[in-house]
Amino acid sequence: MKETPTPIIAIDGTTSSGKGTIAYKLAEHFGFNYLNSGALYRLIAYVIVQNGHSINDVEKAIETARNISPVFEGKKVIVEGQDIWPIISSQEWGQNASIISPIPELRIAVHELQRKMIQHPGLVAEGRDMCTHVFTDAHAKLYLDAHIEERARRRHKDELEKNTGKTLEDIIEEIRIRDERDMHPSRGNARLRPAEDSHIVDTSDMDISETLEKCINLCREKGVSI
Ligand code: DC
């Protein structure tokens, strides 16, 4: 696919690889719009349930995805004037999003919504199928990953702050299951894998600022500028 005139940075990666933080910081650095594609699936799940429907109602899920007009402001997800990100960022809404996300017609509607986010002066889009499916025409494609033990250590730090009582071993197991599900061939186009032309960034031995610097340089090498 030919590159769009508006620059796009697409980022895929494993859970807890740092892709969310890096994507947002890249958007800030370049002054671009920011798309958290997971938040879009979470938002659709939220609207389905808020409207009194079951999360397992496939027809309602498709209808909701086709009719929704999402409002994103940076990390905020605005519904009726209120930022609902603090609500939908929970495990529960992640789970609900994962229930609806495999529906093919829903993914087609979400694909259209995502492409509408290509707006001046540029876009940073993060998720699982950004480089491989939704933004195959991106100017810069990155795939963030880290050793499972390191990703679990990062998540464990957050869990300790939240006092969830989860051990490092619990989290390693959770991440292992999540990786397996995200990468499973049954997910078709939506499965997580590096695109052939993605640059793989291993963040295991890098902190956030080192990773950000590396990613900024990779984007610059691909011609993305402020
Ligand atoms: O990245 P996340 O945890 O916010 O994603 C929530 C769910 O949304 C995840 O379980 C699968 C789905 N998802 C997807 O299918 N494709 C994407 N590009 C992003 C998320």
Side-chain angles (χ1 to χ4, degrees):
M1 200 190 276
K2 239 180 115 225
E3 282 180 1
T4 57
T6 306
I8 304 170
I9 301 170
I11 307 181
D12 293 328
T14 49
T15 184
S16 302
S17 60
K19 69 175 188 304
T21 307
I22 293 299
Y24 190 69
K25 284 183 180 290
L26 277 177
E28 280 185 325
H29 174 82
F30 287 105
F32 288 179
N33 300 295
Y34 166 66
L35 167 65
N36 171 354
S37 59
L40 188 48
Y41 289 95
R42 287 168 185 259
L43 168 64
I44 294 167
Y46 176 82
V47 172
I48 294 167
V49 174
Q50 282 299 105
N51 287 340
H53 308 299
S54 157
I55 196 68
N56 297 307
D57 187 333
V58 173
E59 291 308 315
K60 288 291 170 206
I62 296 167
E63 191 185 310
T64 305
R66 285 184 182 153
N67 292 312
I68 205 164
S69 310
V71 179
F72 295 119
E73 286 174 17
K75 281 186 185 167
K76 291 183 183 167
V77 181
I78 313 287
V79 172
E80 290 167 0
Q82 190 205 341
D83 174 23
I84 60 153
W85 179 243
I87 302 171
I88 63 171
S89 54
S90 70
Q91 291 277 358
E92 182 198 348
W93 289 103
Q95 184 56 32
N96 284 335
S98 85
I99 293 172
I100 58 162
S101 64
I103 303 169
E105 295 92 332
L106 179 136
R107 292 200 80 84
I108 291 169
V110 171
H111 190 281
E112 273 180 38
L113 290 170
Q114 294 173 137
R115 295 292 303 183
K116 277 190 193 150
M117 303 261 320
I118 306 172
Q119 281 171 27
H120 180 80
L123 176 67
V124 179
E126 58 122 329
R128 285 172 188 65
D129 57 347
M130 299 295 99
C131 303
T132 50
H133 188 55
V134 183
F135 299 106
T136 51
D137 51 350
H139 298 63
K141 295 184 183 177
L142 306 174
Y143 183 91
L144 266 59
D145 200 3
H147 301 313
I148 190 164
E149 289 80 8
E150 176 54 26
R151 289 187 284 139
R153 262 194 294 277
R154 293 173 190 169
R155 174 89 64 83
H156 192 224
K157 244 172 92 183
D158 294 343
E159 302 272 356
L160 281 177
E161 277 166 25
K162 289 183 199 154
N163 255 322
T164 58
K166 282 187 191 168
T167 65
L168 186 63
E169 286 68 32
D170 292 337
I171 297 167
I172 290 178
E173 185 55 11
E174 274 181 21
I175 293 184
R176 198 189 58 73
I177 292 168
R178 173 82 183 261
D179 279 352
E180 220 172 83
R181 200 173 62 201
D182 284 348
M183 295 176 190
H184 200 273
S186 65
R187 288 182 63 84
N189 275 338
R191 78 186 188 278
L192 174 67
R193 64 198 194 284
E196 270 174 24
D197 50 353
S198 278
H199 194 104
I200 297 174
V201 180
D202 184 341
T203 70
S204 305
D205 299 320
M206 286 192 281
D207 65 16
I208 302 245
S209 61
E210 289 166 331
T211 310
L212 180 64
E213 195 184 323
K214 180 163 182 75
C215 292
I216 289 172
N217 288 335
L218 288 168
C219 292
R220 283 208 192 112
E221 281 167 23
K222 293 285 176 185
V224 179
S225 57
I226 296 177

